[in-house]
Amino acid sequence: MITLTWNKGLQFQAKNEAGHHITVDTLEEFGGFNQGFTPMELLLVALAGCMGMDIIAIVQKKGGAITEFAVEIKGVRAEKAPRRYETVDVTFTCKGEYKKEDLYRAHELSRDKYCGVYATLSSPPEISFHFR
Amino acid sequence: MITLTWNKGLQFQAKNEAGHHITVDTLEEFGGFNQGFTPMELLLVALAGCMGMDIIAIVQKKGGAITEFAVEIKGVRAEKAPRRYETVDVTFTCKGEYKKEDLYRAHELSRDKYCGVYATLSSPPEISFHFR
């Protein structure tokens, strides 16, 4: 269970079960304080993090020695509300001693077999709402 | 553009364009250090934050005076890999002086018209991968 508690404006404090906190916010022009990631940004962080973890684990398991790794992710939103992401571009930078084909295969395995965020984005969950 | 840079284990540091940072991590049993939110948790934070912001803004615009507001969100994952969220439950707690029907209507407007995260989860984006 994740709990988001309203701070001020449109800013929330999110807490997970392990006790970590992050600030969720939006730009001043939309009523926020710009003191944290926005929800739409967090969606991209979730996807990049999930696939990045899979890829590092798989390349290392195949014997690769990664020295630097980064994921850049950018989404293009629809012009009209609700302004969903229509396209998302993910770029992996991987430095070290490993086989290029292992990196490529790792991203395929993440995309098609392991990444829960990618799979949720590909196949919509059933979302229910409750009020207390 | 969001950039995730590998720290150690399966832990990343994410940075947005405004310069904010969050740690993305996973449990020790999966190769992480449990020092931040997991990618699957961040997906839930994104949805709860997006709808929470919409709802607060709409209820306030209709003249409501909210004193406390929270969103609890929980997902149930598939048993088999990639363990996507099959169902997600979102519970809103809203205290203050406002009309109950405004709260309910606000959640409908967020779900059907305004929330970019909900809309992205409902209609899969086209995701492309690149290597550098």
Side-chain angles (χ1 to χ4, degrees), chain A residues 1-7 9-12 14-18 20-27 34-57 60 66-74 77 81-94 98 100 103-104 107 110-132, chain B residues 1-7 9-12 14-18 20-27 34-57 60 66-74 77 81-94 98 100 103-104 107 110-132:
Chain A
M1 165 99 80
I2 306 287
T3 305
L4 278 74
T5 306
W6 181 43
N7 278 347
L10 296 182
Q11 183 186 101
F12 289 84
K15 185 181 179 185
N16 69 1
E17 287 183 5
H20 300 297
H21 293 83
I22 55 173
T23 299
V24 185
D25 206 342
T26 188
L27 301 181
N34 191 20
Q35 294 173 337
F37 279 67
T38 69
M40 287 297 274
E41 288 177 336
L42 290 170
L43 191 65
L44 299 183
V45 174
L47 179 63
C50 191
M51 296 194 70
M53 288 180 187
D54 285 346
I55 290 172
I56 285 176
Q60 288 180 336
I66 299 172
T67 53
E68 287 178 45
F69 189 93
V71 190
E72 289 172 353
I73 187 163
K74 189 174 170 57
R77 300 178 65 171
R83 305 206 62 219
R84 61 182 272 274
Y85 285 124
E86 292 182 328
T87 60
V88 175
D89 279 273
V90 189
T91 303
F92 302 104
T93 302
C94 186
Y98 66 91
K100 286 284 176 193
L103 174 64
Y104 191 81
H107 116 278
S110 177
R111 182 191 66 195
D112 301 336
K113 195 167 175 184
Y114 295 122
C115 177
V117 175
Y118 187 90
T120 303
L121 281 171
S122 303
S123 178
E126 187 183 316
I127 304 174
S128 306
F129 300 98
H130 316 275
F131 300 89
R132 188 178 287 151
Chain B
M1 166 98 80
I2 306 287
T3 305
L4 277 74
T5 306
W6 182 41
N7 279 347
L10 297 182
Q11 183 186 99
F12 289 84
K15 186 181 179 185
N16 69 1
E17 287 184 4
H20 301 297
H21 293 82
I22 53 174
T23 299
V24 185
D25 207 343
T26 188
L27 301 181
N34 191 20
Q35 294 173 337
F37 280 67
T38 70
M40 286 299 273
E41 288 177 336
L42 290 171
L43 192 65
L44 299 183
V45 174
L47 179 62
C50 191
M51 295 195 70
M53 288 180 187
D54 285 346
I55 291 173
I56 285 176
Q60 288 180 335
I66 299 172
T67 53
E68 287 179 43
F69 189 92
V71 191
E72 289 172 354
I73 186 162
K74 188 173 170 59
R77 300 178 65 172
R83 305 207 62 218
R84 61 181 274 274
Y85 285 124
E86 293 181 327
T87 60
V88 175
D89 280 273
V90 190
T91 303
F92 301 104
T93 303
C94 186
Y98 66 91
K100 286 283 178 196
L103 175 64
Y104 192 80
H107 116 278
S110 177
R111 183 191 65 194
D112 301 337
K113 196 168 174 184
Y114 295 122
C115 177
V117 174
Y118 186 90
T120 304
L121 282 170
S122 303
S123 178
E126 187 182 318
I127 304 174
S128 305
F129 301 99
H130 315 276
F131 300 89
R132 187 180 286 153

